[in-house]
């Protein structure tokens, strides 16, 4: 038999594109249009509907960048025949980029309720009027620019700021029609598309492939090119047999979960996300009217909260869909946050605030952690998720690894304390699937659990910029439910999938520790002001809640509403494209403004609470919100300010620089402002490696291959220059501390460093102020240490992780830039060094041999970057970083340093000292939060954890009387005791390694 396969395949491709697609709509009639352009930011329907509209026509240009055009649309519903459907069809000027990255719109009824969105690849809107009836609708068209340029380029763009984006129209309205859809032709198109895609995934020698090919050939022969509509039924009949063949019993099983990954901000501002949520959810509700089996999952309580605020009618409809099981709140977090950089309490609050919203609004508690797109996953997350009552975890991002392939798709993920959460990576390798045959074949091919399990999840629907599933995807799901040659497809919710996967695979393998993404390593450093705002806000909220609790226990009103609003702002800005620094400039400038507001609000709460607690008076007091005693001030208490005390530190000018000394340390700063020596007085041990200098600023070329703000590529290390030129260096007078200030310049960039050795301090503090005007550069601060360290310990949420300093394996080699919170620690037997910071997350820690023997461990902090995309002004301007280096330090000392640097003492005036709300007898047990209960009962919540990495016993005492104490989950619901061993007047605790514990006290009534 002659082989005509290639010719027939070419004919099929052309037939689908040139015969079927153009004939889906049998007739089109233009709408009558009038328009009003919003002069500034978007306005609600109630304001837009009353404006003066002027005539508008298809072919007209519209839409300045980030602008909005309202169209009033009128027409008459046409008569339709059986098998036809009248609907509106639009082309706002769409390009070939993905939906969500360009123009999109929302169609409103006259009462202000939303009908559906208008987006690329989902541009139809159902007509609700009957044939012959006149209708009037409004279209809110958003001229969102394609900042990504289809992700073909990563060039600096002016489109990311409203002030620089310009006023020239971006789009041309190409279509606004009343169209008659021929359901026969549309269904034939879906049949042919699914079969053609499946055919191309089957082996060339497969009989099934040949069977499909010939069926499609007969379909084309049966279709009359001059009357596709009239011949569609006959053509479809030729495909019935091949579509009826069921999947094999061993076919891979996919659970297709409809969703739309909506970034809470990214290449668009937060205000546009608020509209994207409404568009996407309206699309879903419209689609659910057509398909009874379609279930939609959506994460991020923040997005539902926006909908409730801005589109209450749509929110009510979503609530009805949730109640019927068609709409599944997922994830249980306030937003799909970054998990590397949020502090422990903040990451816990993502679940507390998120789950509270879903429970209060819908009576539903999501049990999954839904984080498909965050940039790596902290080893603390399993414990936090389980403590929040969650059971399952989903992500896809680890498939982006540059070097290593994760060995599992379904597994237990074990956290730092031994907690395990059932986790799934969709082997389809996308969270924006379209249910194509190629995607399903990839899922089956890549699935790593073959022979032990056979089920995976496919998240489908347009995402990142929202949009969600469309009717073509559901048509594919219907045809692929059970089709020979393909995995099976079951429309599902996340819960249905996870329950099935757990039942099928009750004893999966275990992955222990962090899930480090071998990609996007620059996210630990980009947009330093956003990161500083996050760190400062987290600690300000700790103080505000602590002192407000102390005041409430004395009868003051607790600021529940204000604290909740502040937390919501901070949690929103931990979204995985805001805190990592990967959004357009608009987003980061707005984030910086909001952090200023957060700090102003928390300062008001703190000042008021401290005034209530300390009372009116002239005594000089010190308020210490940290968990440890500091400079004589009790942890979490108010103490009288000390006068005198330790012997002052001294500073002396030498021939080569300055000698700084106190009772614990001898420091030599050379004439270049570099740390030439750091000696522990008691032992004479030198900290700085022989022949090396600490406090060394190093500037690297930083030109990632593609994702500028996201990535630090390994080749950056090959291009480095030391910043050692000095404009001035001098001693700064201080009554008790030894202080040296050095000023450096490099072109337009100015750097001022202040090195301070305080009296009685066991650490040298370094403040670095930078007026930064570099481009595509990475600035690091280096400390080459005379330590042979096999690993580095880095603080994460509620504990720390250890990472090798060597590169024995490809996994070690790929981990060349790492994240830490307030401190890192390196050490050898008997001697360690802690390096703490107040606003830095990115680090690299390496070990190198020395001539003559021995090794140097080099600890470097990544201070600043200057990527050009998506924000060409990223990091430009003034920054301040504070770092401390403490020699002869244990892990316990490192923990102390981290809190000291991030929670400085407050000097206040008051009447008297105040005992801490709680005290703990062991430094290994650290109190992370003291607050009042979320249910506003007045109960006191104390959250604490084991910080040193071992078992710990401690006694907890309170300064208030209580009738009852229980152990709870993060949502403050009682759980079985695991750490609480006795609860009389004092609380006895026994904690396992890194255990997170929440205690709930019911205070004695006054």
């Amino acid at each position: 038999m002659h082989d005509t396969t290639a010719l027939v395949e070419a004919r099929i491709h052309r037939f689908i594109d040139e015969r079927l697609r153009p004939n889906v709509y049998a007739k089109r009639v233009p709408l009558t249009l009038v328009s009003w352009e919003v002069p500034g930011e978007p306005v609600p329907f109630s304001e837009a509907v009353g404006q003066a509209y002027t005539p508008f026509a298809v072919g007209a240009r519209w839409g300045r960048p980030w602008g909005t055009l309202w169209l009033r649309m009128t027409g008459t519903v046409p008569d339709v025949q059986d098998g036809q459907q009248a609907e509106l069809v639009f082309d706002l000027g769409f390009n070939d980029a993905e939906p969500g990255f360009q123009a999109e719109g929302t169609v409103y009824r006259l009462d202000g309720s939303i009908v559906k969105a208008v987006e690329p690849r989902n541009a139809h809107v159902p007509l609700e009027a009957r044939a012959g009836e006149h209708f009037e609708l409004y279209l809110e068209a958003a001229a969102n620019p394609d900042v990504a340029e289809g992700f073909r380029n990563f060039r600096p763009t002016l489109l990311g700021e409203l002030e620089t984006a310009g006023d020239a129209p971006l789009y041309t309205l190409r279509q606004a029609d009343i169209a008659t859809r021929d359901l026969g032709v549309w269904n034939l198109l879906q049949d042919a598309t699914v079969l053609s895609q499946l055919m191309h995934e089957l082996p060339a020698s497969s009989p099934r492939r040949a069977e499909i090919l010939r069926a499609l050939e007969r379909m084309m022969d049966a279709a009359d090119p001059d009357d596709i509509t009239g011949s569609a039924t006959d053509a479809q009949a030729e495909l019935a047999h091949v579509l009826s063949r069921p999947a094999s019993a061993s076919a891979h099983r996919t659970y297709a979960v409809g969703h739309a990954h909506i970034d809470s901000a990214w290449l668009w501002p937060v205000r546009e996300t608020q509209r994207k949520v409404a568009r996407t959810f309206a699309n879903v509700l419209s689609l659910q009217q057509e398909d009874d089996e379609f279930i939609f999952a959506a994460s991020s309580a923040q997005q539902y909260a926006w909908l409730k605020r801005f589109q209450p009618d749509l929110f009510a409809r979503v609530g009805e869909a949730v109640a019927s099981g068609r709409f599944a709140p997922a994830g249980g977090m306030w937003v799909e946050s970054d998990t590397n950089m949020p502090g422990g309490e903040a990451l816990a609050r993502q679940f507390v605030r998120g789950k509270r919203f879903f429970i209060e609004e819908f009576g539903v508690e999501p049990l999954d952690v839904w984080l498909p797109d965050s940039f790596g996953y902290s080893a603390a997350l399993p414990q936090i998720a389980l403590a929040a009552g969650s059971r399952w975890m989903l992500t896809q991002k680890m498939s982006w690894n540059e070097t290593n392939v994760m060995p599992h798709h379904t597994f237990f993920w074990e956290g730092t304390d031994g907690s395990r959460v059932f986790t799934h990576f969709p082997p389809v390798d996308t969270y924006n699937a379209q249910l194509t045959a190629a995607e399903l074949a990839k899922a089956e091919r890549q699935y790593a659990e073959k022979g032990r399990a056979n089920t995976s999840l496919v998240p489908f629907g347009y995402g990142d910029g929202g949009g969600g599933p469309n009717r073509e995807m559901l048509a594919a799901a219907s045809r692929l439910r059970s089709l020979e040659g393909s995995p099976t497809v079951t429309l599902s919710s996340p819960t249905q999938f996870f329950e099935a996967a757990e039942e099928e695979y009750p004893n999966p393998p275990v992955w222990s520790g962090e899930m480090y993404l071998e990609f996007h390593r620059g996210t630990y450093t980009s947009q330093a002001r956003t990161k500083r705002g996050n760190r400062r806000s987290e600690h300000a909220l700790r103080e505000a809640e602590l002192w407000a609790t102390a005041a409430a226990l004395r009868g003051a009103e607790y600021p529940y509403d204000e604290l909740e609003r502040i937390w919501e702002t901070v949690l929103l800005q931990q979204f995985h494209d805001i805190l990592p620094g990967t959004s357009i400039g608009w987003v980061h400038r707005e984030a910086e403004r909001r952090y200023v507001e957060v700090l102003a609000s928390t300062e008001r709460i703190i000042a008021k609470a401290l005034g209530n607690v300390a009372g009116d008076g002239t005594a000089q007091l010190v308020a210490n919100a940290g968990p440890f005693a500091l400079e004589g001030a009790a942890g979490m208490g108010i103490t009288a300010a000390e006068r005198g005390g330790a012997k002052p530190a001294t500073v002396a000018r030498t021939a080569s620089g300055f000698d700084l000394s106190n009772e614990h340390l001898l420091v030599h700063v050379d004439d270049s402002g570099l740390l030439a020596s750091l000696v522990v007085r008691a032992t004479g041990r030198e900290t700085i490696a022989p022949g090396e200098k600490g406090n060394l600023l190093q500037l690297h070329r930083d030109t990632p291959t593609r994702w500028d703000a996201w990535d630090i590529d390994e080749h950056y290390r090959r291009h480095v220059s030391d910043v050692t030129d000095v404009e001035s260096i001098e001693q700064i007078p201080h009554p008790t501390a030894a202080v040296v200030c050095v000023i450096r310049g490099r072109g337009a960039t100015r750097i001022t460093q202040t090195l301070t050795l305080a009296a009685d301090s066991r650490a040298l503090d370094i403040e670095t102020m930078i007026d930064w005007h570099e481009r595509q550069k990475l600035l690091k601060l280096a400390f080459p240490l005379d330590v042979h360290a096999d690993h580095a310990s880095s603080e994460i949420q509620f504990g720390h992780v250890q990472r090798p300093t060597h590169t024995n394996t490809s996994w070690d080699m790929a981990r060349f830039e790492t994240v830490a919170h307030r401190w890192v620690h390196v050490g050898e037997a008997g001697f360690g060094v802690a390096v703490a910071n107040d606003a830095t997350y990115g680090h690299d820690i390496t070990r190198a041999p020395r001539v003559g023997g021995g090794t140097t461990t080099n600890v470097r902090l990544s201070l600043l970057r200057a990527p050009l995309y998506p924000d060409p002004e990223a990091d430009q301007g003034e920054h301040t970083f504070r770092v401390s280096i403490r020699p002869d330090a244990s892990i316990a000392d490192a923990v102390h340093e981290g809190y000291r640097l991030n929670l400085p003492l407050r000097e206040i005036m008051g009447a008297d000292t105040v005992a801490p709300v709680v005290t703990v007898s062991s430094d290994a047990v650290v109190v992370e939060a003291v607050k009042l209960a979320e249910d506003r009962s007045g109960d006191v919540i104390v959250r604490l954890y084991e910080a040193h990495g071992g078992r710990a016993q401690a006694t907890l005492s309170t300064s208030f009387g209580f009738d009852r104490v229980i152990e709870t989950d993060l949502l403050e619901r009682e759980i079985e005791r695991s750490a609480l061993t006795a609860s009389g007047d004092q609380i006895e605790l026994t904690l396992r390694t890194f255990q997170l514990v929440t205690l709930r006290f019911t205070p004695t009534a006054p």
Side-chain angles (χ1 to χ4, degrees):
M1 182 175 178
H2 299 296
D3 184 5
T4 59
T5 300
L7 291 173
V8 175
E9 288 178 354
R11 183 185 171 199
I12 293 167
H13 178 77
R14 186 175 183 187
F15 180 83
I16 290 173
D17 278 354
E18 296 185 15
R19 300 296 183 187
L20 291 186
R21 294 191 196 282
N23 283 285
V24 166
Y25 289 107
K27 185 170 62 174
R28 296 178 176 86
V29 176
L31 286 162
T32 301
L33 306 174
V34 291
S35 71
W36 172 65
E37 183 175 10
V38 181
E41 283 292 274
V43 300
F45 174 85
S46 58
E47 182 176 339
V49 72
Q51 303 300 320
Y53 284 68
T54 57
F56 196 84
V58 169
R61 298 282 291 169
W62 72 277
R64 59 179 174 80
W66 306 112
T68 301
L69 181 75
W70 283 85
L71 294 174
R72 185 163 65 227
M73 310 174 297
T74 55
T76 302
V77 180
D79 292 325
V80 295
Q81 302 174 4
D82 288 343
Q84 294 183 332
Q85 185 178 69
E87 57 192 25
L88 304 182
V89 181
F90 298 90
D91 183 344
L92 302 182
F94 302 135
N95 59 38
D96 60 359
E98 288 286 311
F101 296 90
Q102 52 179 296
E104 46 197 291
T106 312
V107 174
Y108 289 81
R109 303 177 184 91
L110 291 181
D111 64 0
S113 62
I114 294 176
V115 182
K116 184 181 170 293
V118 172
E119 301 178 295
R121 307 179 203 176
N122 194 354
H124 69 279
V125 176
L127 276 171
E128 298 169 335
R130 293 190 295 269
E133 289 185 347
H134 181 78
F135 64 87
E136 181 176 335
L137 297 167
Y138 283 80
L139 171 65
E140 179 192 30
N144 300 332
D146 180 13
V147 176
E149 296 184 344
F151 294 102
R152 293 179 293 269
N153 301 296
F154 292 83
R155 299 179 298 203
T157 175
L158 298 177
L159 293 172
E161 295 267 20
L162 189 62
E163 295 77 10
T164 61
D167 295 318
L170 294 174
Y171 297 103
T172 299
L173 182 67
R174 297 197 190 102
Q175 184 180 14
D177 290 339
I178 307 167
T180 302
R181 179 166 67 117
D182 188 287
L183 300 181
V185 176
W186 186 84
N187 278 300
L188 177 60
L189 173 62
Q190 309 316 309
D191 290 348
T193 299
V194 166
L195 287 170
S196 176
Q197 290 177 351
L198 175 58
M199 176 184 68
H200 286 290
E201 294 306 313
L202 297 171
S205 59
S206 165
R208 174 64 168 161
R209 176 170 178 152
E211 179 184 51
I212 293 172
L213 177 78
R214 297 309 167 187
L216 288 168
E217 185 177 32
R218 293 193 299 274
M219 177 269 295
M220 293 185 291
D221 289 341
D224 182 351
D226 296 322
D227 185 14
I228 294 294
T229 297
S231 58
T233 299
D234 291 340
Q236 197 171 13
E238 297 295 339
L239 303 178
H241 177 65
V242 289
L243 282 169
S244 69
R245 302 283 288 272
S248 68
S250 62
H252 184 62
R253 295 184 290 272
T254 67
Y255 281 65
V257 176
H259 94 129
H261 180 63
I262 308 177
D263 286 319
S264 292
W266 181 25
L267 303 181
W268 47 86
V270 166
R271 65 89 155 147
E272 194 55 35
T273 310
Q274 294 163 355
R275 298 200 293 181
K276 285 177 177 287
V277 171
R279 295 179 197 123
T280 299
F281 286 14
N283 283 348
V284 168
L285 294 173
S286 176
L287 196 55
Q288 287 181 337
Q289 293 178 341
E290 302 176 22
D291 192 315
D292 293 337
E293 296 184 0
F294 171 43
I295 302 171
F296 182 75
S299 70
S300 304
Q302 170 70 89
Q303 297 185 0
Y304 292 80
W306 283 331
L307 198 70
K308 181 181 180 181
R309 177 182 174 187
F310 297 113
Q311 299 290 349
D313 174 76
L314 192 58
F315 180 76
R317 291 167 58 196
V318 167
E320 293 171 0
V322 172
S324 69
R326 306 287 305 285
F327 207 112
M333 299 174 73
W334 189 245
V335 296
E336 290 184 15
S337 76
D338 178 75
T339 76
N340 287 312
M341 290 172 286
E345 187 61 21
L347 196 52
R349 296 297 178 94
Q350 287 286 350
F351 288 93
V352 172
R353 187 69 196 100
K355 287 201 171 193
R356 270 189 54 217
F357 182 91
F358 288 134
I359 291 169
E360 291 169 2
E361 296 293 339
F362 304 127
V364 171
E365 179 182 354
L367 299 182
D368 57 277
V369 181
W370 188 272
L371 287 174
D373 190 33
S374 294
F375 307 145
Y377 302 91
S378 166
L381 189 54
Q383 179 178 202
I384 294 171
L386 291 178
S390 297
R391 293 172 52 187
W392 310 303
M393 161 93 180
L394 177 135
T395 181
Q396 177 271 324
K397 200 67 173 185
M398 299 305 294
S399 68
W400 286 43
N401 272 3
E402 290 179 313
T403 305
N404 297 284
V405 176
M406 292 292 290
H408 315 297
H409 283 111
T410 302
F411 57 98
F412 277 129
W413 179 25
E414 183 179 84
T416 49
D417 76 320
S419 297
R420 292 182 177 181
V421 59
F422 189 86
T423 301
H424 181 69
F425 293 165
V428 71
D429 277 2
T430 179
Y431 51 82
N432 294 327
Q434 299 172 44
L435 296 183
T436 66
E439 290 169 338
L440 298 176
K442 183 177 185 179
E444 182 175 65
R445 184 171 60 251
Q446 295 196 154
Y447 185 62
E449 318 307 318
K450 291 184 183 75
R452 295 179 175 86
N454 196 29
T455 302
S456 72
L457 186 148
V458 176
F460 74 96
Y462 291 115
D464 287 325
N470 61 18
R471 61 191 179 193
E472 286 75 18
M473 296 177 196
L474 292 184
S478 174
R479 288 156 176 80
L480 293 165
R481 183 191 307 271
S482 179
L483 184 61
E484 183 186 357
S486 171
T488 63
V489 174
T490 300
L491 292 177
S492 170
S493 69
T495 296
Q496 290 168 340
F497 163 75
F498 277 112
E499 288 178 342
E502 276 187 321
E503 182 179 0
E504 177 188 53
Y505 205 20
N507 296 300
V510 177
W511 178 273
S512 182
E514 70 179 331
M515 290 195 286
Y516 175 88
L517 180 64
E518 297 170 358
F519 202 46
H520 292 358
R521 302 168 183 89
T523 57
Y524 314 145
T525 304
S526 296
Q527 297 285 2
R529 275 182 289 271
T530 298
K531 290 173 169 58
R532 169 168 285 278
N534 176 73
R535 182 77 70 85
R536 298 276 58 76
S537 296
E538 289 178 346
H539 289 82
L541 275 162
R542 173 197 172 96
E543 290 193 73
E545 289 183 333
L546 170 64
W547 301 129
T549 300
L553 289 168
R554 289 162 173 79
E557 184 177 354
Y558 190 82
Y560 289 106
D561 292 337
E562 188 172 9
L563 284 170
E564 187 170 278
R565 286 193 299 271
I566 296 168
W567 266 115
E568 288 178 0
T569 297
V570 173
L571 296 178
L572 165 61
Q573 295 185 171
Q574 290 176 342
F575 176 72
H576 66 252
D577 275 309
I578 302 179
L579 182 53
T582 52
S583 292
I584 56 174
W586 186 340
V587 172
H588 290 289
R589 256 43 100 215
E590 184 175 53
E592 291 161 22
R593 289 192 296 271
R594 288 180 175 177
Y595 283 130
V596 170
E597 294 168 359
V598 163
L599 293 175
S601 296
T602 52
E603 285 299 319
R604 286 193 298 271
I605 293 172
I606 292 167
K608 182 177 180 181
L610 286 174
N612 284 328
V613 172
D616 293 329
T618 58
Q620 292 184 333
L621 305 174
V622 174
N624 178 11
F628 307 116
L630 189 62
E631 298 178 25
M636 296 182 292
I638 301 175
T639 311
E642 288 190 353
R643 290 179 172 81
K647 182 180 178 181
T650 63
V651 58
R653 190 70 163 97
T654 70
S656 59
F658 295 88
D659 285 339
L660 291 67
S661 64
N662 66 9
E663 295 180 2
H664 305 292
L665 299 176
L666 296 172
V667 180
H668 182 65
V669 179
D670 71 11
D671 281 332
S672 295
L674 302 179
L675 187 56
S677 177
L678 177 58
V679 174
V680 180
R681 271 184 178 272
T683 62
R685 174 66 186 259
E686 175 62 71
T687 307
I688 303 301
E692 302 284 356
K693 302 289 179 67
N695 189 39
L696 176 62
L697 292 163
Q698 295 184 296
L699 200 64
H700 291 267
R701 181 194 300 175
D702 186 17
T703 53
T705 303
R706 293 185 72 207
W707 298 87
D708 288 24
W710 292 257
D711 288 351
I712 292 176
D713 290 347
E714 191 275 338
H715 58 75
Y716 88 89
R717 288 177 165 172
R718 299 198 287 267
H719 308 277
V720 60
S721 60
D722 296 341
V723 182
T724 57
D725 291 346
V726 173
E727 292 185 1
S728 68
I729 182 169
E730 59 183 351
Q731 174 188 348
I732 304 298
H734 191 280
T736 61
V739 184
V740 171
C741 179
V742 57
I743 299 176
R744 309 181 193 279
R746 185 187 186 277
T749 294
R750 304 273 295 176
I751 302 172
T752 300
Q753 287 191 298
T754 304
L755 293 79
T756 301
L757 182 62
D760 203 35
S761 176
R762 296 179 182 270
L764 176 69
D765 291 346
I766 303 171
E767 180 184 75
T768 303
M769 300 176 65
I770 307 170
D771 187 7
W772 180 248
H773 297 285
E774 305 293 330
R775 303 284 180 174
Q776 294 186 300
K777 296 291 188 292
L778 168 63
L779 183 67
K780 284 182 170 278
L781 179 62
F783 295 95
L785 305 175
D786 190 13
V787 174
H788 178 80
D790 288 325
H791 65 266
S793 298
S794 300
E795 189 192 31
I796 61 170
Q797 301 90 349
F798 304 122
H800 58 269
V801 293
Q802 294 181 343
R803 303 182 180 107
T805 56
H806 55 69
T807 55
N808 280 357
T809 71
S810 59
W811 298 87
D812 301 329
M813 181 194 69
R815 202 182 294 110
F816 59 80
E817 182 81 4
T818 58
V819 67
H821 285 194
R822 291 168 291 208
W823 57 265
V824 297
H825 178 275
V826 292
E828 60 189 32
F831 187 82
V833 181
V835 180
N837 73 84
D838 78 332
T840 300
Y841 295 95
H843 295 73
D844 76 283
I845 303 174
T846 56
R847 193 178 70 191
R850 297 198 297 253
V851 175
T855 56
T856 295
T857 299
N858 198 21
V859 175
R860 299 202 304 167
L861 298 87
S862 299
L863 301 184
L864 285 170
R865 301 185 65 214
L868 300 181
Y869 181 86
D871 175 14
E873 296 300 313
D875 286 322
Q876 299 299 301
E878 297 180 354
H879 304 267
T880 300
F881 302 92
R882 294 179 180 88
V883 172
S884 75
I885 176 169
R886 177 168 176 168
D888 200 19
S890 63
I891 292 291
D893 296 327
V895 176
H896 277 253
E897 279 299 300
Y899 280 102
R900 177 183 72 85
L901 214 56
N902 284 272
L903 283 165
L905 300 177
R906 287 180 178 268
E907 296 182 358
I908 63 173
M909 304 294 286
D912 201 357
T913 61
V914 179
V917 176
V918 297
T919 57
V920 183
S921 63
S922 170
D923 279 2
V925 178
V926 177
V927 174
E928 184 67 5
V930 176
K931 59 186 281 291
L932 292 194
E934 296 288 323
D935 63 8
R936 306 194 177 193
S937 62
D939 284 1
V940 176
I941 303 298
V942 177
R943 190 135 40 237
L944 45 82
Y945 67 101
E946 194 288 314
H948 295 173
R951 299 294 178 95
Q953 291 184 320
T955 300
L956 185 147
S957 304
T958 69
S959 63
F960 61 92
F962 59 91
D963 297 329
R964 182 172 182 251
V965 58
I966 58 173
E967 206 167 325
T968 74
D969 66 6
L970 291 179
L971 273 68
E972 300 163 11
R973 302 172 295 200
E974 186 171 5
I975 60 173
E976 185 178 346
R977 290 185 175 191
S978 64
L980 189 58
T981 58
S983 55
D985 292 338
Q986 293 182 323
I987 308 301
E988 300 298 328
L989 300 169
T990 300
L991 277 68
R992 65 179 182 269
T993 300
F994 297 132
Q995 184 177 0
L996 172 62
V997 177
T998 302
L999 301 176
R1000 180 172 183 149
F1001 295 83
T1002 302
T1004 302

